């Protein structure tokens, strides 16, 4: 009888510190690029996933959500909160962690922080959508809302689409300055702008990522010229939108999982049968992405469990042969599975 | 800039080893007794909980479930699997872990193993139900199915109801021998029986806790005399029952959360409007528990998220002032919440 937990009882846990080590070990642009491909692979086999809308617990100040999915071999879920007022208290608006488990046994195989990983996968999902929807040859992106997601979006669009210039705007100048500082020296031309209108000038991709939990109008119809791709990240829960509905009427809207997006996305402003195209069908070539150079495309991004699944399995594979994790004993594993009590009893000795 | 994670980034994690230390530190009967009271307190304020059926992901070999709930101040969820075939492979049929989070901020405040804790809370829930439903003065319990839950049930009934004798039966004699061994010296009179019929003789409480994932008939109608309390644990998922339906017709059935029990419990054999009494109403004195000495009462136990919540908050309180936990950094907590990328970037240095 060993006093140590058995190997079956241990699962790798990736702390925030180890996630940062892993990202630096691989290089952030490589991570974003490989993550984009991993997400695209999973969108290509979309129908093999057990899909459900997230399970949300709403409260006055925010929401706590569980986002599970499974491909029949591996099960994954993410815990994530959204508390817009947290920022004023010096806390993260969004924190997350996630888990993978073996479907055949139900045993967990990976536990990891997902605050950073969610930021990475959100940017990678945007890049994947833009790869299919952005106007050809675009080199300029407007980034409206320069919060925690801004740099990840910029680097994903650089790594995956070859974006060379980012035009930044935020109602809080300090957020823009933070983003300028963080992206200095990364090989992108950066332009701080005085208004959303100025940021949009010449941009082929317009990314909106603001954080207010309320109906907002970050973009109005007259600001949007033909041919652009709008990457709308911030409208991601009931009551939270960023675009004027007139823009939606001129755009073709692409979504992750319609039942969820109709509740949480920009299209919550529209009728329940408002026409949308599922992104996975574009990835599979079953539906058209960008049709022509004048079309306005809109990726109404809310984040879906399959993307977290992709990120989790990417991390699991990337950990192999590294020491960017600790083993934690979160599973009780008695020698005789019926003898849970005996295991407890012997631990007293 | 400290290289260490900030205090906000750290949450206490209770490993299996530390859970065992905590239980031994307090004493298992004390834990079972206090847990019974904690669960009863939460049943008394049942209406203050945000309740939902568990979110299940079914596969050929088992099920993985998420069980969330919240009382508006604290949010909790449990991850739990059920894989009956695991035992043959030397694995636990059920493993679990759980989490508590602060509703106001969405920040996790406790992560803990719950394989052991689920065994404890399941037994405590049975004891709480029996406190309201078992015939007065009962000192004998039959325990049919001597698997991982058996000893916990026996000790909870001893600690909470003053049960002095346990009559054990299992189709696998080795399971009974294991239970005899584990309970030796705990102050209970133990009787190994050759059949379920023999085990039931003279018992005021009949606990069934078998593990096959199929419709089974552990108890038939002719075996059940008047006046007993049946504590049915093993019928807890679709397709898995232990009692012949004729028993249900003679018994008054008490349940945790009817929408879940009608799918998972013994009453899945009955019509959707089959009459049941919610246990929380008995605890509050709004409904009668045991009415008379001849009544057959049935607690159709499937396990509900509120019980896990109670167990989690009990552990959280019990940890105070002890060292039965480790701190893990599962939350990214940059100095400036908008500066997640800056935190990542500075970690490279």
């Amino acid at each position: 009888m060993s006093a140590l937990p058995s190997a079956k009882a241990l699962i790798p846990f990736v702390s925030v510190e180890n996630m940062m080590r892993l990202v630096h070990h691989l290089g952030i642009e490589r991570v974003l690029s490989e993550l984009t491909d991993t997400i695209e692979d999973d969108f290509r086999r979309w129908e093999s996933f057990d899909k459900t809308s997230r399970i949300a617990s709403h409260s006055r100040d925010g929401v706590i959500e569980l986002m599970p999915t499974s491909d029949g071999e591996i099960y994954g879920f993410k815990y994530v909160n959204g508390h817009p007022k947290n920022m004023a208290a010096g806390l993260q608006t969004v924190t997350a962690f996630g888990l993978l488990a073996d479907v055949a046994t139900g045993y967990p195989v990976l536990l990891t922080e997902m605050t950073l990983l969610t930021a990475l996968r959100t940017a990678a999902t945007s890049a994947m959508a833009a790869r299919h929807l952005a106007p050809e040859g675009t080199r300029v992106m407007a980034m409206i809302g320069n919060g925690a997601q801004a740099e990840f979006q910029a680097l994903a669009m650089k790594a995956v689409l070859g974006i060379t210039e980012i035009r930044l705007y935020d109602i809080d100048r300090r957020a823009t300055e933070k983003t300028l500082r963080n992206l200095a020296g990364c090989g992108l031309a950066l332009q701080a702008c005085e208004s959303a209108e100025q940021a949009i000038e010449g941009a082929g991709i317009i990314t909106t990522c603001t954080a207010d939990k309320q109906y907002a109008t970050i973009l109005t119809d007259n600001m949007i010229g033909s041919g652009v791709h709008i990457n709308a990240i911030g409208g991601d829960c009931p009551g939270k939108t960023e675009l004027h509905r007139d823009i939606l009427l001129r755009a073709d809207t692409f979504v992750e999982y319609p039942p969820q997006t109709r509740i949480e996305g920009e299209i919550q402003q529209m009728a329940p049968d408002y026409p949308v195209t599922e992104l996975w069908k574009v990835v599979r070539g079953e539906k058209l992405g960008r049709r022509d150079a004048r079309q306005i495309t809109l990726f109404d991004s809310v984040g879906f469990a399959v993307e977290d699944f992709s990120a989790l399995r990417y991390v699991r594979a990337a950990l192999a042969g590294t020491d960017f994790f600790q083993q934690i004993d979160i599973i009780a594993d008695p020698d005789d599975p019926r003898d849970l009590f005996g295991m407890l009893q012997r631990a007293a000795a």
Side-chain angles (χ1 to χ4, degrees), chain A residues 130-181:
Chain A
R131 186 146 71 181
H132 295 276
L133 301 175
E136 200 151 347
T138 302
R139 291 292 171 263
V140 182
M141 176 168 85
M143 182 76 227
I144 299 173
N146 302 157
Q149 177 63 201
E151 299 89 344
F152 298 95
Q153 286 284 336
L155 290 179
M157 294 297 187
K158 171 175 185 279
V160 176
L161 271 88
I163 289 292
T164 59
E165 181 180 347
I166 307 285
R167 301 175 65 83
L168 298 161
Y169 174 70
D170 195 291
I171 49 169
D172 182 347
R173 177 73 196 199
R174 288 167 305 175
T176 305
E177 280 161 9
K178 173 235 29 161
T179 308
L180 284 171
R181 233 176 7 248

Side-chain angles (χ1 to χ4, degrees), chain A residues 49 51 54 59 77 156 253 293 325:
Chain A
F49 285 95
K51 289 171 289 291
R54 59 184 103 198
S59 59
F77 84 89
T253 302
F325 59 91

Side-chain angles (χ1 to χ4, degrees), chain A residues 236-288:
Chain A
D236 63 352
C237 67
K240 184 157 173 265
T241 59
E242 296 180 316
L243 309 187
H244 193 283
R245 70 189 298 279
D246 287 352
I247 297 174
L248 276 68
L249 295 172
R250 285 168 59 212
D252 290 307
T253 302
F254 298 82
V255 304
E256 291 144 313
Y257 182 60
Q260 185 174 305
T261 311
R262 291 191 191 281
I263 295 168
E264 302 176 356
E266 295 298 329
I267 57 169
Q268 66 185 276
Q269 304 179 66
M270 314 308 273
D273 61 348
Y274 184 75
V276 298
T277 303
E278 290 177 75
L279 200 52
W280 69 271
K281 292 184 179 168
V282 176
V283 168
R284 286 176 66 96
E286 295 173 13
K287 297 271 183 181
L288 264 182

Side-chain angles (χ1 to χ4, degrees), chain A residues 216-336:
Chain A
T217 308
I218 308 303
L219 298 181
T220 55
D221 191 35
N222 64 332
M223 291 162 70
I224 302 300
S226 69
V228 299
H229 172 59
I230 304 172
N231 176 39
I233 308 295
D236 63 352
C237 67
K240 184 157 173 265
T241 59
E242 296 180 316
L243 309 187
H244 193 283
R245 70 189 298 279
D246 287 352
I247 297 174
L248 276 68
L249 295 172
R250 285 168 59 212
D252 290 307
T253 302
F254 298 82
V255 304
E256 291 144 313
Y257 182 60
Q260 185 174 305
T261 311
R262 291 191 191 281
I263 295 168
E264 302 176 356
E266 295 298 329
I267 57 169
Q268 66 185 276
Q269 304 179 66
M270 314 308 273
D273 61 348
Y274 184 75
V276 298
T277 303
E278 290 177 75
L279 200 52
W280 69 271
K281 292 184 179 168
V282 176
V283 168
R284 286 176 66 96
E286 295 173 13
K287 297 271 183 181
L288 264 182
R290 173 160 290 273
R291 204 175 48 229
D292 60 52
R294 296 195 52 79
Q295 181 190 19
I296 300 171
T297 52
L298 165 64
F299 174 40
D300 188 1
S301 168
V302 298
F304 188 62
V306 170
E307 296 146 22
D308 298 310
F309 181 95
S310 309
L312 286 165
R313 74 176 182 87
Y314 175 73
V315 167
R316 189 185 182 200
L319 286 180
T322 77
D323 65 351
F324 302 136
F325 59 91
Q326 329 156 215
Q327 299 280 16
I328 61 172
D329 75 324
I330 199 165
I331 301 173
D333 186 57
D335 298 335
D336 169 358

